[in-house]
Amino acid sequence: MSPHSARIRPRRLSRAFLHRRPTHLAGLTCGLLLCTVLAGCGSPGVGTTGTGSAPATGASPRTGSASAGADLSGTLTVFAAASLKSTFTDLATKFESDHPSSRIRLSFAGSSDLVTQISEGAPADVFASADNANMSKLETASLLAAASANFASNVLTIAVPPGNPAGIGSFKDLGRSGVKVVVCAPQVPCGAAAAKVEQATGSTVKPVSEESSVTDVLGKVSSGEADAGLVYVTDARGAGSKVTAIDFPEAAKAVNTYPIATVAGSPHKELAAAFIALVTGPVGQKVLLAAGFGKP
Amino acid sequence: MRGAGRGHGTITIPLWIWVFAAAGGFFILLPLAAMVTRVNWPQFVPLVTSVPSLTALGLSLRTSAVSTVLCLVLGVPLAMVLARGQFPGQRLLRSLVLLPLVLPPVVGGIALLYTFGRRGLLGSSLSVLGIQITFSTTAVVLAQTFVALPFLVLSLEGSLRSAGTRYEAAAATLGAGPGTVLRRVTLPLVLPGLASGAVLAFARSLGEFGATLTFAGSLEGVTRTLPLEIYLQRETDPDTAVALSLVLVLIAVVIVGLTFRRTTSGLLKSGRTRDA
């Protein structure tokens, strides 16, 4: 048992402090908020594509890249549509090896999520959207440093589980009764594209589920729950052998264009311009085409 | 012992506890307040009474009610066995039953998919019978029950343990059979815990998102519950998303508030009077 005096002391102290509580609270709350804000910057989804390139190995300019890479340094934060994950990860690694004193931090999510984040002040330098609708949201809010540039396009394809159990051969087959089709909801770009194709062909698909993202559609198909799903060509290709893609000519009715732009207020405008140049240039185009993207 | 020496009953809480408690309270309330500031009040009623909103709300309330019943049917025996039974592997079973509490709901959804899905453990037999659970309202209920069951089990098991076995033993000595003891002694005794467990399960079901999205899909009127509707509306219509979020918060506040008030005062009494 503790001695008597030891129990009285804290209480006296607490009474003395009681009058100053508001100041204490305010300080602590501010600190807490700051913590939250800071932690938010390092939240999952934002990752550094660290290639472990040693800083400045000698003063001599690198052979191979003729650009003024030595001058470009700093950390560039790129917000990109989820469908660009593998290609942009590749390109970021390339960029970092071209410009050794630079770092690219990539954050992938649905385009509209990213727009919301940027509108709320997320520190993005470059934004690559999966459609023009989301990019123009930033444009109308004056959140772009310059006009965006289109760098790729994507069309829909029918993804089916391996073996194609429902025997899907064309877009019309999706309307057959008993075929379980999963699409994106019309609110998201892939769903809007699906609706456009439906309108253009005059055929209707009665989906068993309208998902919020392409990934969810792919998941339902690759697990075999759904007989078919409408996804982008690149998504089907990215899923590898888990799904089979059945291209259909009507997909040309809804081509999705991918724009990229520097975000207003970015402190790394030069670095941002260099990254955009890489994406829109021959190197970027080669990587994108290899992943199944089309020309812009 | 602690209070007796000082001459008054209440224990003084150290100041720093107050400070941290206040920070904790702020941490929960501030984001809610921030959300309220973004609500488009002039449009609030039209937004939340649109057909998709009401459909989603109705579906959420219906499925959560069914899930809560399912939780009671499965969870009460489970809690009894865990609290009163004695068998090898009891502690392991308890940890496993509570697993959905700590599991990300998406993982729960994947697990359910591998169980009840078309190619799942049970699903392949079910599909032979022509039953497909995925993409159906049943899938929503299963997802909700999966994530909500531990809340009920945990709450009830705690009540059972703190109630002790004295009254049950006394009843048994006086000749009451196990069934009578359960009905007349055990359940009335733990009624508050049972009620709060059921409410927690209902609230958790109402908020279920990840497992539903993964396992059940999202289709208006069939599987698109209120959280899924909010998630989707956020894409194009943030105003609706915020308005519906507020509705969900209000429902949760009302349910939890009402029941916890009842469990701490009313239910104990009603349990006793019914027993007398």
Side-chain angles (χ1 to χ4, degrees), chain A residues 4 7 11 17-18 25 28 32-33 112-113 120 137 161 180 182 185 187-188 207-212 216 220 223-225 227, chain B residues 2 6 8 12 15 19 22-23 27 30 38 113 117-119 132 134-135 213-214 217-219 224 231-236:
Chain A
H4 209 68
R7 261 194 280 155
R11 187 174 302 179
F17 270 110
L18 217 62
L25 278 188
L28 202 87
L32 195 82
L33 286 177
S112 57
D113 273 340
E120 299 290 329
K137 277 189 220 164
K180 294 200 181 298
V182 178
Q187 285 90 336
V188 289
V208 290
S209 181
E210 294 174 348
E211 306 285 341
S212 298
D216 288 324
K220 300 285 185 327
S223 65
E225 288 314 317
D227 297 318
Chain B
R2 272 167 295 174
R6 298 300 307 162
H8 60 85
T12 311
L15 175 73
V19 172
F27 185 61
L30 209 57
R38 293 294 185 97
L113 201 59
R118 226 191 230 181
R119 295 178 186 170
Q132 192 180 353
T134 13
F135 305 127
L213 190 70
T214 319
S218 171
L219 193 66
R224 190 174 294 154
Y231 185 63
L232 185 62
Q233 288 302 339
R234 199 187 44 121
E235 295 282 343
T236 49

Short mmCIF file of all heavy atoms in Angstrom, two decimals, chain A residues 4 7 11 17-18 25 28 32-33 112-113 120 137 161 180 182 185 187-188 207-212 216 220 223-225 227, chain B residues 2 6 8 12 15 19 22-23 27 30 38 113 117-119 132 134-135 213-214 217-219 224 231-236:
data_model
loop_
_atom_site.label_atom_id
_atom_site.label_comp_id
_atom_site.label_asym_id
_atom_site.label_seq_id
_atom_site.Cartn_x
_atom_site.Cartn_y
_atom_site.Cartn_z
N HIS A 4 0.15 7.52 2.84
CA HIS A 4 -0.99 8.43 2.74
C HIS A 4 -0.68 9.68 1.93
O HIS A 4 -1.45 10.10 1.09
CB HIS A 4 -1.42 8.81 4.15
CG HIS A 4 -2.87 9.12 4.22
ND1 HIS A 4 -3.83 8.15 4.05
CD2 HIS A 4 -3.51 10.28 4.43
CE1 HIS A 4 -5.01 8.71 4.14
NE2 HIS A 4 -4.86 10.01 4.38
N ARG A 7 -0.85 9.77 -1.75
CA ARG A 7 -2.16 9.77 -2.42
C ARG A 7 -2.79 11.14 -2.47
O ARG A 7 -3.66 11.41 -3.26
CB ARG A 7 -3.08 8.80 -1.70
CG ARG A 7 -3.14 7.46 -2.42
CD ARG A 7 -4.28 6.64 -1.92
NE ARG A 7 -3.93 6.00 -0.67
CZ ARG A 7 -4.84 5.63 0.22
NH1 ARG A 7 -6.13 5.90 0.01
NH2 ARG A 7 -4.50 5.03 1.32
N ARG A 11 -3.79 14.64 -6.11
CA ARG A 11 -5.07 15.31 -6.14
C ARG A 11 -4.89 16.82 -6.07
O ARG A 11 -5.57 17.58 -6.75
CB ARG A 11 -5.93 14.82 -5.00
CG ARG A 11 -7.33 15.38 -5.12
CD ARG A 11 -8.23 14.81 -4.10
NE ARG A 11 -8.28 13.35 -4.21
CZ ARG A 11 -9.00 12.62 -3.39
NH1 ARG A 11 -9.69 13.20 -2.43
NH2 ARG A 11 -9.02 11.32 -3.51
N PHE A 17 -4.20 22.13 -11.63
CA PHE A 17 -4.19 22.10 -13.08
C PHE A 17 -5.56 22.32 -13.69
O PHE A 17 -5.70 22.73 -14.82
CB PHE A 17 -3.65 20.74 -13.57
CG PHE A 17 -2.17 20.73 -13.75
CD1 PHE A 17 -1.35 20.01 -12.90
CD2 PHE A 17 -1.59 21.48 -14.77
CE1 PHE A 17 0.01 20.00 -13.07
CE2 PHE A 17 -0.23 21.47 -14.94
CZ PHE A 17 0.58 20.73 -14.08
N LEU A 18 -6.56 22.01 -12.90
CA LEU A 18 -7.92 22.01 -13.42
C LEU A 18 -8.29 23.35 -14.07
O LEU A 18 -8.98 23.41 -15.06
CB LEU A 18 -8.89 21.71 -12.28
CG LEU A 18 -10.09 20.85 -12.66
CD1 LEU A 18 -9.62 19.50 -13.15
CD2 LEU A 18 -11.02 20.71 -11.49
N LEU A 25 -5.90 21.43 -23.28
CA LEU A 25 -6.69 20.67 -24.25
C LEU A 25 -6.47 21.18 -25.65
O LEU A 25 -6.25 20.41 -26.58
CB LEU A 25 -8.17 20.79 -23.91
CG LEU A 25 -8.65 19.84 -22.83
CD1 LEU A 25 -10.14 19.89 -22.72
CD2 LEU A 25 -8.19 18.43 -23.16
N LEU A 28 -3.19 20.13 -26.96
CA LEU A 28 -3.12 18.70 -27.25
C LEU A 28 -3.94 18.36 -28.50
O LEU A 28 -3.53 17.58 -29.34
CB LEU A 28 -3.66 17.92 -26.05
CG LEU A 28 -3.14 16.49 -26.07
CD1 LEU A 28 -1.80 16.45 -25.37
CD2 LEU A 28 -4.12 15.55 -25.44
N LEU A 32 -2.69 16.65 -31.83
CA LEU A 32 -3.32 15.43 -32.32
C LEU A 32 -3.71 15.58 -33.79
O LEU A 32 -3.48 14.70 -34.60
CB LEU A 32 -4.57 15.15 -31.48
CG LEU A 32 -5.12 13.75 -31.63
CD1 LEU A 32 -4.34 12.80 -30.74
CD2 LEU A 32 -6.58 13.72 -31.27
N LEU A 33 -4.28 16.74 -34.10
CA LEU A 33 -4.70 16.98 -35.48
C LEU A 33 -3.50 16.97 -36.40
O LEU A 33 -3.54 16.38 -37.48
CB LEU A 33 -5.42 18.32 -35.59
CG LEU A 33 -6.83 18.32 -35.01
CD1 LEU A 33 -7.43 19.71 -35.09
CD2 LEU A 33 -7.69 17.34 -35.77
N SER A 112 -11.77 9.21 -59.45
CA SER A 112 -12.61 10.17 -58.72
C SER A 112 -12.15 10.31 -57.27
O SER A 112 -12.24 11.38 -56.69
CB SER A 112 -14.07 9.78 -58.80
OG SER A 112 -14.25 8.49 -58.29
N ASP A 113 -11.65 9.22 -56.69
CA ASP A 113 -11.07 9.29 -55.35
C ASP A 113 -9.91 10.27 -55.33
O ASP A 113 -9.78 11.09 -54.42
CB ASP A 113 -10.52 7.92 -54.93
CG ASP A 113 -11.59 7.07 -54.27
OD1 ASP A 113 -12.59 7.64 -53.82
OD2 ASP A 113 -11.42 5.85 -54.24
N GLU A 120 -9.18 18.27 -51.82
CA GLU A 120 -9.08 18.50 -50.37
C GLU A 120 -7.66 18.87 -49.96
O GLU A 120 -7.36 18.91 -48.77
CB GLU A 120 -9.56 17.28 -49.60
CG GLU A 120 -11.01 16.89 -49.84
CD GLU A 120 -12.01 17.89 -49.26
OE1 GLU A 120 -11.70 18.51 -48.25
OE2 GLU A 120 -13.09 18.04 -49.86
N LYS A 137 -12.84 17.97 -63.88
CA LYS A 137 -13.27 18.43 -62.55
C LYS A 137 -12.18 19.30 -61.92
O LYS A 137 -12.46 20.35 -61.35
CB LYS A 137 -13.52 17.23 -61.62
CG LYS A 137 -14.89 16.59 -61.78
CD LYS A 137 -15.10 15.57 -60.65
CE LYS A 137 -15.79 14.32 -61.15
NZ LYS A 137 -15.67 13.20 -60.21
N PRO A 161 -14.14 -16.39 -66.89
CA PRO A 161 -13.25 -17.30 -66.15
C PRO A 161 -12.57 -18.25 -67.14
O PRO A 161 -13.12 -18.50 -68.22
CB PRO A 161 -14.19 -18.07 -65.23
CG PRO A 161 -15.47 -17.32 -65.22
CD PRO A 161 -15.54 -16.58 -66.51
N LYS A 180 -24.57 -14.90 -65.84
CA LYS A 180 -24.32 -13.96 -64.74
C LYS A 180 -23.22 -12.99 -65.13
O LYS A 180 -22.05 -13.35 -65.20
CB LYS A 180 -23.95 -14.73 -63.48
CG LYS A 180 -25.11 -15.56 -62.96
CD LYS A 180 -24.95 -15.92 -61.51
CE LYS A 180 -26.10 -16.77 -61.00
NZ LYS A 180 -27.41 -16.09 -61.08
N VAL A 182 -21.25 -9.30 -64.55
CA VAL A 182 -20.93 -8.26 -63.58
C VAL A 182 -20.33 -7.08 -64.35
O VAL A 182 -19.47 -7.28 -65.22
CB VAL A 182 -19.93 -8.77 -62.53
CG1 VAL A 182 -19.55 -7.67 -61.56
CG2 VAL A 182 -20.51 -9.94 -61.77
N ALA A 185 -20.66 0.04 -62.06
CA ALA A 185 -21.81 0.93 -61.95
C ALA A 185 -21.63 2.12 -62.88
O ALA A 185 -20.50 2.54 -63.12
CB ALA A 185 -21.97 1.40 -60.51
N GLN A 187 -21.82 5.07 -62.47
CA GLN A 187 -21.17 6.23 -61.84
C GLN A 187 -19.66 6.22 -62.03
O GLN A 187 -19.02 7.25 -61.85
CB GLN A 187 -21.48 6.27 -60.34
CG GLN A 187 -22.88 6.72 -60.00
CD GLN A 187 -23.85 5.57 -59.91
OE1 GLN A 187 -23.66 4.52 -60.51
NE2 GLN A 187 -24.92 5.77 -59.19
N VAL A 188 -19.07 5.06 -62.31
CA VAL A 188 -17.61 5.00 -62.47
C VAL A 188 -17.27 4.84 -63.95
O VAL A 188 -18.09 4.32 -64.72
CB VAL A 188 -16.98 3.87 -61.61
CG1 VAL A 188 -17.03 4.25 -60.14
CG2 VAL A 188 -17.66 2.55 -61.84
N PRO A 207 -27.13 -7.04 -65.44
CA PRO A 207 -26.05 -7.53 -64.57
C PRO A 207 -26.58 -8.06 -63.24
O PRO A 207 -27.64 -7.62 -62.77
CB PRO A 207 -25.20 -6.28 -64.35
CG PRO A 207 -26.13 -5.15 -64.50
CD PRO A 207 -27.18 -5.57 -65.50
N VAL A 208 -25.85 -8.99 -62.65
CA VAL A 208 -26.19 -9.45 -61.30
C VAL A 208 -25.55 -8.54 -60.26
O VAL A 208 -25.91 -8.57 -59.09
CB VAL A 208 -25.76 -10.91 -61.03
CG1 VAL A 208 -26.62 -11.86 -61.84
CG2 VAL A 208 -24.29 -11.12 -61.33
N SER A 209 -24.60 -7.73 -60.70
CA SER A 209 -23.97 -6.80 -59.77
C SER A 209 -23.33 -5.65 -60.53
O SER A 209 -22.79 -5.85 -61.62
CB SER A 209 -22.91 -7.53 -58.94
OG SER A 209 -22.33 -6.65 -58.02
N GLU A 210 -23.45 -4.45 -59.96
CA GLU A 210 -22.80 -3.26 -60.52
C GLU A 210 -21.75 -2.80 -59.54
O GLU A 210 -22.07 -2.18 -58.53
CB GLU A 210 -23.83 -2.15 -60.75
CG GLU A 210 -24.84 -2.49 -61.82
CD GLU A 210 -25.93 -1.43 -61.94
OE1 GLU A 210 -26.01 -0.56 -61.05
OE2 GLU A 210 -26.68 -1.48 -62.92
N GLU A 211 -20.51 -3.11 -59.82
CA GLU A 211 -19.43 -2.88 -58.86
C GLU A 211 -18.91 -1.44 -58.95
O GLU A 211 -19.17 -0.74 -59.92
CB GLU A 211 -18.29 -3.85 -59.13
CG GLU A 211 -18.70 -5.31 -59.14
CD GLU A 211 -18.96 -5.86 -57.75
OE1 GLU A 211 -18.49 -5.25 -56.78
OE2 GLU A 211 -19.65 -6.89 -57.65
N SER A 212 -18.16 -1.06 -57.93
CA SER A 212 -17.63 0.30 -57.89
C SER A 212 -16.27 0.42 -58.55
O SER A 212 -15.78 1.52 -58.74
CB SER A 212 -17.51 0.77 -56.44
OG SER A 212 -18.77 0.79 -55.86
N ASP A 216 -13.08 -5.02 -58.57
CA ASP A 216 -14.15 -5.83 -58.01
C ASP A 216 -14.80 -6.69 -59.08
O ASP A 216 -15.20 -7.83 -58.83
CB ASP A 216 -15.20 -4.94 -57.34
CG ASP A 216 -14.68 -4.34 -56.04
OD1 ASP A 216 -13.94 -5.04 -55.33
OD2 ASP A 216 -14.99 -3.18 -55.75
N LYS A 220 -14.78 -10.92 -59.16
CA LYS A 220 -15.97 -11.77 -59.27
C LYS A 220 -15.82 -12.75 -60.43
O LYS A 220 -16.33 -13.86 -60.39
CB LYS A 220 -17.23 -10.91 -59.48
CG LYS A 220 -17.51 -9.92 -58.36
CD LYS A 220 -18.06 -10.60 -57.16
CE LYS A 220 -18.50 -9.71 -56.02
NZ LYS A 220 -17.83 -8.48 -55.74
N SER A 223 -12.84 -15.42 -59.65
CA SER A 223 -13.24 -16.42 -58.64
C SER A 223 -14.29 -17.38 -59.20
O SER A 223 -14.67 -18.33 -58.54
CB SER A 223 -13.77 -15.72 -57.40
OG SER A 223 -14.96 -15.03 -57.70
N GLY A 224 -14.78 -17.07 -60.40
CA GLY A 224 -15.75 -17.96 -61.03
C GLY A 224 -17.19 -17.70 -60.61
O GLY A 224 -18.11 -18.40 -61.04
N GLU A 225 -17.41 -16.68 -59.77
CA GLU A 225 -18.78 -16.37 -59.33
C GLU A 225 -19.61 -15.86 -60.49
O GLU A 225 -20.79 -16.15 -60.59
CB GLU A 225 -18.76 -15.32 -58.22
CG GLU A 225 -18.25 -15.80 -56.90
CD GLU A 225 -18.86 -17.12 -56.48
OE1 GLU A 225 -20.07 -17.30 -56.64
OE2 GLU A 225 -18.10 -17.99 -56.02
N ASP A 227 -20.15 -15.27 -64.73
CA ASP A 227 -19.79 -15.91 -66.00
C ASP A 227 -19.00 -14.97 -66.88
O ASP A 227 -18.23 -15.41 -67.73
CB ASP A 227 -21.07 -16.34 -66.73
CG ASP A 227 -21.84 -17.39 -65.95
OD1 ASP A 227 -21.18 -18.30 -65.41
OD2 ASP A 227 -23.07 -17.28 -65.87
N ARG B 2 -10.22 1.71 -1.45
CA ARG B 2 -9.63 2.94 -1.98
C ARG B 2 -10.39 4.17 -1.49
O ARG B 2 -9.82 5.13 -1.01
CB ARG B 2 -9.63 2.92 -3.51
CG ARG B 2 -8.40 2.28 -4.10
CD ARG B 2 -8.62 2.03 -5.57
NE ARG B 2 -9.69 1.05 -5.77
CZ ARG B 2 -10.16 0.74 -6.96
NH1 ARG B 2 -9.72 1.35 -8.03
NH2 ARG B 2 -11.08 -0.16 -7.08
N ARG B 6 -10.72 7.91 2.46
CA ARG B 6 -10.84 9.34 2.18
C ARG B 6 -12.18 9.92 2.63
O ARG B 6 -12.37 11.11 2.58
CB ARG B 6 -10.65 9.62 0.69
CG ARG B 6 -9.29 9.24 0.15
CD ARG B 6 -8.20 10.01 0.87
NE ARG B 6 -8.43 11.45 0.84
CZ ARG B 6 -7.84 12.29 1.66
NH1 ARG B 6 -7.03 11.84 2.58
NH2 ARG B 6 -8.08 13.57 1.57
N HIS B 8 -15.14 9.81 1.16
CA HIS B 8 -16.24 9.94 0.19
C HIS B 8 -16.08 8.92 -0.94
O HIS B 8 -14.97 8.47 -1.23
CB HIS B 8 -16.38 11.36 -0.35
CG HIS B 8 -15.16 11.87 -1.06
ND1 HIS B 8 -14.92 11.61 -2.37
CD2 HIS B 8 -14.13 12.62 -0.61
CE1 HIS B 8 -13.79 12.18 -2.71
NE2 HIS B 8 -13.27 12.79 -1.65
N THR B 12 -11.19 10.11 -7.41
CA THR B 12 -10.73 11.21 -8.26
C THR B 12 -9.85 10.66 -9.38
O THR B 12 -8.90 9.92 -9.12
CB THR B 12 -9.93 12.22 -7.43
OG1 THR B 12 -10.69 12.54 -6.28
CG2 THR B 12 -9.65 13.48 -8.25
N LEU B 15 -5.67 14.09 -13.55
CA LEU B 15 -5.93 15.09 -14.59
C LEU B 15 -5.53 14.59 -15.98
O LEU B 15 -6.26 14.78 -16.95
CB LEU B 15 -5.19 16.38 -14.28
CG LEU B 15 -5.31 17.44 -15.39
CD1 LEU B 15 -6.70 18.04 -15.42
CD2 LEU B 15 -4.27 18.52 -15.25
N VAL B 19 -7.35 14.61 -19.75
CA VAL B 19 -6.80 15.22 -20.97
C VAL B 19 -6.85 14.21 -22.12
O VAL B 19 -7.34 14.51 -23.21
CB VAL B 19 -5.36 15.71 -20.73
CG1 VAL B 19 -4.74 16.16 -22.04
CG2 VAL B 19 -5.36 16.83 -19.71
N ALA B 22 -10.37 13.47 -23.16
CA ALA B 22 -10.92 14.54 -23.99
C ALA B 22 -10.38 14.44 -25.41
O ALA B 22 -11.12 14.59 -26.39
CB ALA B 22 -10.56 15.90 -23.39
N ALA B 23 -9.09 14.13 -25.52
CA ALA B 23 -8.50 13.97 -26.85
C ALA B 23 -9.18 12.82 -27.59
O ALA B 23 -9.49 12.91 -28.77
CB ALA B 23 -7.00 13.73 -26.73
N PHE B 27 -11.28 13.06 -30.94
CA PHE B 27 -10.83 12.28 -32.09
C PHE B 27 -12.01 11.59 -32.78
O PHE B 27 -12.03 11.43 -33.99
CB PHE B 27 -9.80 11.24 -31.63
CG PHE B 27 -9.19 10.47 -32.75
CD1 PHE B 27 -8.47 11.12 -33.73
CD2 PHE B 27 -9.36 9.10 -32.84
CE1 PHE B 27 -7.90 10.41 -34.77
CE2 PHE B 27 -8.79 8.39 -33.87
CZ PHE B 27 -8.06 9.05 -34.84
N LEU B 30 -14.85 14.94 -33.68
CA LEU B 30 -14.46 15.98 -34.62
C LEU B 30 -14.74 15.61 -36.08
O LEU B 30 -15.32 16.40 -36.83
CB LEU B 30 -12.99 16.33 -34.41
CG LEU B 30 -12.58 17.76 -34.77
CD1 LEU B 30 -13.42 18.76 -33.98
CD2 LEU B 30 -11.11 17.98 -34.49
N ARG B 38 -20.34 19.66 -44.00
CA ARG B 38 -20.36 19.52 -45.45
C ARG B 38 -21.73 19.13 -45.99
O ARG B 38 -21.89 18.93 -47.19
CB ARG B 38 -19.34 18.45 -45.89
CG ARG B 38 -17.90 18.82 -45.65
CD ARG B 38 -17.47 20.00 -46.50
NE ARG B 38 -16.05 20.27 -46.34
CZ ARG B 38 -15.12 19.84 -47.16
NH1 ARG B 38 -15.44 19.12 -48.21
NH2 ARG B 38 -13.85 20.14 -46.94
N LEU B 113 -16.62 -16.12 -49.73
CA LEU B 113 -16.67 -16.46 -51.15
C LEU B 113 -16.13 -17.87 -51.38
O LEU B 113 -16.69 -18.65 -52.16
CB LEU B 113 -15.83 -15.44 -51.94
CG LEU B 113 -16.12 -15.28 -53.42
CD1 LEU B 113 -17.56 -14.87 -53.64
CD2 LEU B 113 -15.19 -14.22 -54.01
N GLY B 117 -19.29 -19.56 -52.24
CA GLY B 117 -19.22 -19.21 -53.66
C GLY B 117 -19.49 -20.42 -54.53
O GLY B 117 -19.52 -21.56 -54.06
N ARG B 118 -19.65 -20.15 -55.81
CA ARG B 118 -19.98 -21.20 -56.76
C ARG B 118 -18.96 -22.34 -56.75
O ARG B 118 -19.30 -23.50 -56.90
CB ARG B 118 -19.98 -20.58 -58.15
CG ARG B 118 -21.15 -20.95 -58.99
CD ARG B 118 -20.85 -20.48 -60.39
NE ARG B 118 -21.96 -19.71 -60.93
CZ ARG B 118 -21.91 -19.21 -62.17
NH1 ARG B 118 -20.83 -19.36 -62.93
NH2 ARG B 118 -22.92 -18.53 -62.63
N ARG B 119 -17.69 -21.95 -56.57
CA ARG B 119 -16.64 -22.98 -56.52
C ARG B 119 -16.17 -23.21 -55.10
O ARG B 119 -15.12 -23.79 -54.86
CB ARG B 119 -15.44 -22.52 -57.36
CG ARG B 119 -15.76 -22.41 -58.83
CD ARG B 119 -14.53 -21.92 -59.55
NE ARG B 119 -14.80 -21.66 -60.95
CZ ARG B 119 -13.94 -21.04 -61.75
NH1 ARG B 119 -12.78 -20.64 -61.27
NH2 ARG B 119 -14.24 -20.84 -63.02
N GLN B 132 -27.67 -20.48 -55.74
CA GLN B 132 -26.48 -19.65 -55.76
C GLN B 132 -26.64 -18.51 -54.78
O GLN B 132 -27.60 -17.73 -54.84
CB GLN B 132 -26.17 -19.11 -57.16
CG GLN B 132 -24.76 -18.50 -57.19
CD GLN B 132 -24.36 -17.94 -58.53
OE1 GLN B 132 -25.07 -18.09 -59.52
NE2 GLN B 132 -23.21 -17.27 -58.56
N THR B 134 -24.08 -16.16 -53.84
CA THR B 134 -23.46 -14.90 -54.22
C THR B 134 -24.43 -14.06 -55.07
O THR B 134 -25.22 -14.62 -55.82
CB THR B 134 -22.20 -15.12 -55.06
OG1 THR B 134 -22.16 -16.45 -55.47
CG2 THR B 134 -20.96 -14.77 -54.30
N PHE B 135 -24.32 -12.77 -54.96
CA PHE B 135 -25.16 -11.80 -55.68
C PHE B 135 -26.60 -11.80 -55.18
O PHE B 135 -27.47 -11.22 -55.81
CB PHE B 135 -25.16 -12.05 -57.19
CG PHE B 135 -23.79 -12.08 -57.79
CD1 PHE B 135 -23.37 -13.15 -58.56
CD2 PHE B 135 -22.90 -11.05 -57.57
CE1 PHE B 135 -22.10 -13.19 -59.11
CE2 PHE B 135 -21.63 -11.06 -58.12
CZ PHE B 135 -21.22 -12.15 -58.89
N LEU B 213 -19.33 -6.16 -50.12
CA LEU B 213 -18.86 -5.79 -51.45
C LEU B 213 -18.13 -6.96 -52.12
O LEU B 213 -18.29 -7.22 -53.31
CB LEU B 213 -17.92 -4.59 -51.34
CG LEU B 213 -17.52 -3.91 -52.64
CD1 LEU B 213 -18.70 -3.19 -53.23
CD2 LEU B 213 -16.39 -2.92 -52.39
N THR B 214 -17.33 -7.66 -51.33
CA THR B 214 -16.52 -8.75 -51.87
C THR B 214 -17.37 -9.99 -52.17
O THR B 214 -17.16 -10.66 -53.18
CB THR B 214 -15.42 -9.15 -50.86
OG1 THR B 214 -14.89 -7.97 -50.30
CG2 THR B 214 -14.33 -9.95 -51.54
N GLY B 217 -21.62 -8.50 -53.85
CA GLY B 217 -21.75 -7.62 -55.00
C GLY B 217 -22.56 -6.38 -54.65
O GLY B 217 -22.75 -6.07 -53.47
N SER B 218 -23.02 -5.68 -55.66
CA SER B 218 -23.70 -4.41 -55.42
C SER B 218 -24.75 -4.19 -56.50
O SER B 218 -24.42 -3.85 -57.62
CB SER B 218 -22.66 -3.28 -55.44
OG SER B 218 -23.28 -2.03 -55.41
N LEU B 219 -26.00 -4.44 -56.15
CA LEU B 219 -27.08 -4.21 -57.11
C LEU B 219 -28.25 -3.59 -56.37
O LEU B 219 -28.65 -4.07 -55.30
CB LEU B 219 -27.51 -5.54 -57.77
CG LEU B 219 -28.40 -5.40 -59.01
CD1 LEU B 219 -27.65 -4.74 -60.17
CD2 LEU B 219 -28.92 -6.75 -59.45
N ARG B 224 -27.25 -3.88 -52.69
CA ARG B 224 -26.62 -2.59 -52.42
C ARG B 224 -27.18 -1.96 -51.15
O ARG B 224 -28.18 -1.24 -51.18
CB ARG B 224 -26.77 -1.65 -53.61
CG ARG B 224 -25.91 -0.38 -53.46
CD ARG B 224 -25.96 0.48 -54.70
NE ARG B 224 -25.34 -0.20 -55.83
CZ ARG B 224 -25.65 0.05 -57.10
NH1 ARG B 224 -26.57 0.95 -57.40
NH2 ARG B 224 -25.04 -0.60 -58.07
N TYR B 231 -20.77 4.57 -50.83
CA TYR B 231 -19.49 4.40 -51.52
C TYR B 231 -19.62 4.70 -53.01
O TYR B 231 -18.75 5.32 -53.62
CB TYR B 231 -19.01 2.96 -51.30
CG TYR B 231 -17.64 2.66 -51.84
CD1 TYR B 231 -16.52 3.32 -51.34
CD2 TYR B 231 -17.46 1.71 -52.83
CE1 TYR B 231 -15.26 3.04 -51.82
CE2 TYR B 231 -16.20 1.43 -53.32
CZ TYR B 231 -15.11 2.09 -52.81
OH TYR B 231 -13.87 1.81 -53.30
N LEU B 232 -20.74 4.27 -53.59
CA LEU B 232 -20.94 4.47 -55.02
C LEU B 232 -21.30 5.92 -55.33
O LEU B 232 -20.75 6.51 -56.26
CB LEU B 232 -22.06 3.53 -55.50
CG LEU B 232 -22.31 3.54 -57.00
CD1 LEU B 232 -21.08 3.08 -57.76
CD2 LEU B 232 -23.49 2.63 -57.33
N GLN B 233 -22.19 6.50 -54.53
CA GLN B 233 -22.63 7.88 -54.79
C GLN B 233 -21.47 8.86 -54.68
O GLN B 233 -21.44 9.88 -55.35
CB GLN B 233 -23.73 8.29 -53.80
CG GLN B 233 -25.07 7.64 -54.07
CD GLN B 233 -25.60 7.91 -55.46
OE1 GLN B 233 -25.21 8.87 -56.12
NE2 GLN B 233 -26.46 7.04 -55.95
N ARG B 234 -20.52 8.53 -53.83
CA ARG B 234 -19.35 9.38 -53.62
C ARG B 234 -18.61 9.62 -54.93
O ARG B 234 -17.96 10.64 -55.12
CB ARG B 234 -18.46 8.63 -52.64
CG ARG B 234 -17.43 9.38 -51.90
CD ARG B 234 -16.64 8.33 -51.17
NE ARG B 234 -16.40 7.23 -52.10
CZ ARG B 234 -15.21 6.80 -52.45
NH1 ARG B 234 -14.16 7.32 -51.92
NH2 ARG B 234 -15.08 5.82 -53.32
N GLU B 235 -18.72 8.67 -55.86
CA GLU B 235 -18.03 8.80 -57.14
C GLU B 235 -18.50 10.03 -57.91
O GLU B 235 -17.70 10.75 -58.49
CB GLU B 235 -18.28 7.56 -58.01
CG GLU B 235 -17.69 6.28 -57.46
CD GLU B 235 -16.19 6.18 -57.70
OE1 GLU B 235 -15.68 6.93 -58.55
OE2 GLU B 235 -15.55 5.36 -57.04
N THR B 236 -19.82 10.21 -57.96
CA THR B 236 -20.35 11.28 -58.81
C THR B 236 -21.13 12.32 -58.02
O THR B 236 -21.30 13.43 -58.48
CB THR B 236 -21.30 10.69 -59.86
OG1 THR B 236 -22.22 9.82 -59.19
CG2 THR B 236 -20.54 9.93 -60.92
#
